Amino acid sequence: MTDLENEMLQAVRHGKEKAYDYFLGRYAQEVLRFLLQTVGNELDAEELAQDTFVKAFGHIGSYDPGQASFSTWLRRIAWNTAVNHLKRKRLPTVSLDDDAFLHKADEAEPERVELEQLDRALERLRPLERSLIQLYYYDELPLKDIAYIMDSNPLALANRLKRIRKKLYNLIKEERK
Amino acid sequence: MKKEEAFEQTLRQAILRRNEQSPDLPQDFARRVKARMDSRRRRTSIVRWATVGGIAASLFIGTIWIVGWGEAHPTAHISPERQRMEQFYRQAEQQALLNEQILMERVRLEHEHVMQSVMEAQSEAEARIYTAID
C-alpha cells in the first residue's frame, strides 16, 4: 500500500470527503466492471457498486492492510453484495452440486473455438462462475486473493476453474449440434 | 500450441472484449455515493441519538419507579436474613414494651390497692376516734 493510499485511508476514517473521491476515482470503474460481469445488468451493477462503496467507507475501520490489498478487500465486499443481491432475486449462484454439465465434464475435449462462440457460452454461465473467470483471467488475481474475495480456498477454486472451462467446452459443443 | 492453451487464449480475449464493451462509470457516480454516505450518516446519527434518548428515558423512568417503589416498600432493598433479624428485634422490642406496660399496670393496681387500704384504715381510725369522743 502506498503512502498516499495510507494517508487517504486515514482521511476516510476521519470522514474527510476528499478522500472518498480518491478511492472512487481509483477503484469505482473496476468494481463496476466486476459487478457487471457478475450480475450482467448495468443498472443493478451500478446500484451494487454504490452499495459496495457505501459499505466499504462505512466499515473502513475493519480494513486490515496486512490481510489484503484495498482493491482485493473492496472486491470481497462487492462479491458479498452481489451474492446477496442474486440470492434476493433468487438467481442461481455458484453451486458444485447442481451443475447440469458436471456429468459431461470429463468427456469434454478442448477444441478450436471462435471468439463469438465463447462469448455466447460465457453469457450462459452462472453469474458467479462468470465473476470467477473475470477475477482470474481479466484481473489476473492470484488464486490466494480470489479465495480471500470468495471466502473459499485456492485448491477448490482451481478445481472450479477447471470445471468452468470444461463447462464452456460443452456449451460450445452443444451449440454446434 | 496445445488446444488447451489456445482455448485459454481465446477465453482471455473473450473476457477482454466483454470488459472493453462494459460502460464507463456514470458522471455522477461519486456524487451519488457521497449522497448515500450522507444519508447513512444522518440515519446513523438519528439512530444513535434515539438510542441515547431511549436509554436516558429508561434510566429516568427506572430511577423514579425504584425510588417510588422503595418508598412504598422500605425493606425491599434489605436482605432476607437482615429482614428476619430486624423483625425479631422488633418483636422483642414490642414484647419488652408490653411487659413494661403490664408491670406498670400491676404497680398502679398495687398502689391503688395500698392507697385504698390506707384510706380505709384512716376512715376506720377516724370512725374509732369519733366513737371514742362520743
Side-chain angles (χ1 to χ4, degrees), chain B:
Chain B
M1 192 187 285
K2 283 183 185 173
K3 279 180 183 177
E4 269 182 42
E5 281 173 10
F7 181 81
E8 289 237 339
Q9 204 176 353
T10 318
L11 185 56
R12 276 179 208 281
Q13 282 173 4
I15 295 286
L16 194 70
R17 202 173 69 163
R18 286 174 73 87
N19 278 279
E20 277 167 0
Q21 286 166 354
S22 66
D24 285 338
L25 201 66
Q27 294 269 314
D28 60 346
F29 185 83
R31 187 188 57 76
R32 275 151 67 183
V33 170
K34 281 192 263 182
R36 283 181 64 174
M37 282 297 292
D38 284 344
S39 141
R40 184 191 160 109
R41 215 176 290 135
R42 268 198 302 274
R43 208 168 47 237
T44 310
S45 172
I46 290 168
V47 169
R48 190 177 296 142
W49 281 111
T51 310
V52 169
I55 291 169
S58 304
L59 284 174
F60 180 69
I61 291 167
T63 309
I64 287 175
W65 186 77
I66 287 167
V67 168
W69 194 77
E71 278 173 4
H73 306 272
T75 56
H77 62 287
I78 302 170
S79 69
E81 288 80 15
R82 175 110 188 248
Q83 282 188 35
R84 272 200 295 277
M85 288 288 287
E86 287 195 352
Q87 197 179 2
F88 172 77
Y89 285 125
R90 232 177 358 257
Q91 279 175 350
E93 203 176 6
Q94 279 173 353
Q95 192 61 51
L97 205 67
L98 199 66
N99 288 346
E100 198 183 323
Q101 279 174 349
I102 291 168
L103 199 67
M104 290 294 285
E105 188 62 18
R106 264 191 200 161
V107 168
R108 194 184 64 78
L109 284 171
E110 272 180 25
H111 177 74
E112 229 171 55
H113 181 70
V114 169
M115 285 305 286
Q116 202 175 355
S117 303
V118 168
M119 292 282 281
E120 277 173 7
Q122 199 176 356
S123 302
E124 204 177 317
E126 277 175 1
R128 277 191 195 150
I129 290 167
Y130 291 136
T131 311
I133 292 169
D134 289 338

Side-chain angles (χ1 to χ4, degrees), chain A residues 17 20-21 24 28-29 33 36-37 42 46-47 49-51 54 57 59 110 113 115-116 118-119 122-123 130 133-134 137-138 140 165 168-169, chain B residues 3-4 6-26 28-34 36-38 40-41:
Chain A
E17 274 205 22
Y20 297 152
D21 287 328
L24 285 165
Q29 184 69 59
R33 205 177 280 147
L36 189 63
Q37 292 305 316
E42 210 175 304
E46 201 191 308
E47 188 75 18
Q50 284 180 33
D51 282 350
V54 170
F57 291 147
H59 296 93
V113 289
L115 210 56
E116 278 71 24
L118 198 49
D119 194 49
L122 280 168
E123 202 55 51
R130 262 200 315 270
I133 293 276
Q134 169 82 8
Y137 288 106
Y138 183 77
E140 296 185 332
R165 278 194 297 264
L168 286 169
Y169 302 146
Chain B
K3 279 180 183 177
E4 269 182 42
F7 181 81
E8 289 237 339
Q9 204 176 353
T10 318
L11 185 56
R12 276 179 208 281
Q13 282 173 4
I15 295 286
L16 194 70
R17 202 173 69 163
R18 286 174 73 87
N19 278 279
E20 277 167 0
Q21 286 166 354
S22 66
D24 285 338
L25 201 66
D28 60 346
F29 185 83
R31 187 188 57 76
R32 275 151 67 183
V33 170
K34 281 192 263 182
R36 283 181 64 174
M37 282 297 292
D38 284 344
R40 184 191 160 109
R41 215 176 290 135

Side-chain angles (χ1 to χ4, degrees), chain A residues 111-126:
Chain A
E111 300 172 42
R112 194 185 172 317
V113 289
E114 299 298 324
L115 210 56
E116 278 71 24
Q117 286 175 324
L118 198 49
D119 194 49
R120 283 193 293 275
L122 280 168
E123 202 55 51
R124 290 179 63 190
L125 284 181
R126 287 170 190 275

Side-chain angles (χ1 to χ4, degrees), chain A residues 9-162:
Chain A
L9 265 178
Q10 294 302 324
V12 169
R13 284 187 178 124
H14 291 101
K16 288 185 181 162
E17 274 205 22
K18 282 202 169 176
Y20 297 152
D21 287 328
Y22 170 81
F23 287 109
L24 285 165
R26 187 153 181 194
Y27 298 111
Q29 184 69 59
E30 69 182 56
V31 167
L32 179 70
R33 205 177 280 147
F34 169 64
L35 286 165
L36 189 63
Q37 292 305 316
T38 307
V39 298
N41 175 315
E42 210 175 304
L43 279 176
D44 286 349
E46 201 191 308
E47 188 75 18
L48 294 173
Q50 284 180 33
D51 282 350
T52 301
F53 279 99
V54 170
K55 283 180 192 167
F57 291 147
H59 296 93
I60 200 85
S62 65
Y63 168 59
D64 174 11
Q67 211 174 6
S69 69
F70 188 78
S71 155
T72 306
W73 182 71
L74 210 53
R75 280 198 180 87
R76 183 182 163 98
I77 297 173
W79 163 262
N80 286 324
T81 309
V83 170
N84 288 337
H85 167 80
L86 293 171
K87 277 183 186 164
R88 236 184 357 257
K89 283 202 153 187
R90 295 172 191 278
L91 289 172
T93 53
V94 168
S95 166
L96 292 176
D97 304 322
D98 63 354
D99 193 330
F101 291 84
L102 194 61
H103 63 286
K104 292 184 187 173
D106 292 336
E107 299 161 16
E109 286 283 324
E111 300 172 42
R112 194 185 172 317
V113 289
E114 299 298 324
L115 210 56
E116 278 71 24
Q117 286 175 324
L118 198 49
D119 194 49
R120 283 193 293 275
L122 280 168
E123 202 55 51
R124 290 179 63 190
L125 284 181
R126 287 170 190 275
L128 302 185
E129 288 171 337
R130 262 200 315 270
S131 50
L132 178 56
I133 293 276
Q134 169 82 8
L135 291 171
Y136 188 75
Y137 288 106
Y138 183 77
D139 296 318
E140 296 185 332
L141 290 182
L143 284 173
K144 184 175 73 71
D145 284 0
I146 302 177
Y148 172 79
I149 293 167
M150 296 186 161
D151 202 16
S152 181
N153 70 70
L155 198 67
L157 288 176
N159 282 333
R160 191 175 286 179
L161 270 170
K162 201 172 157 188

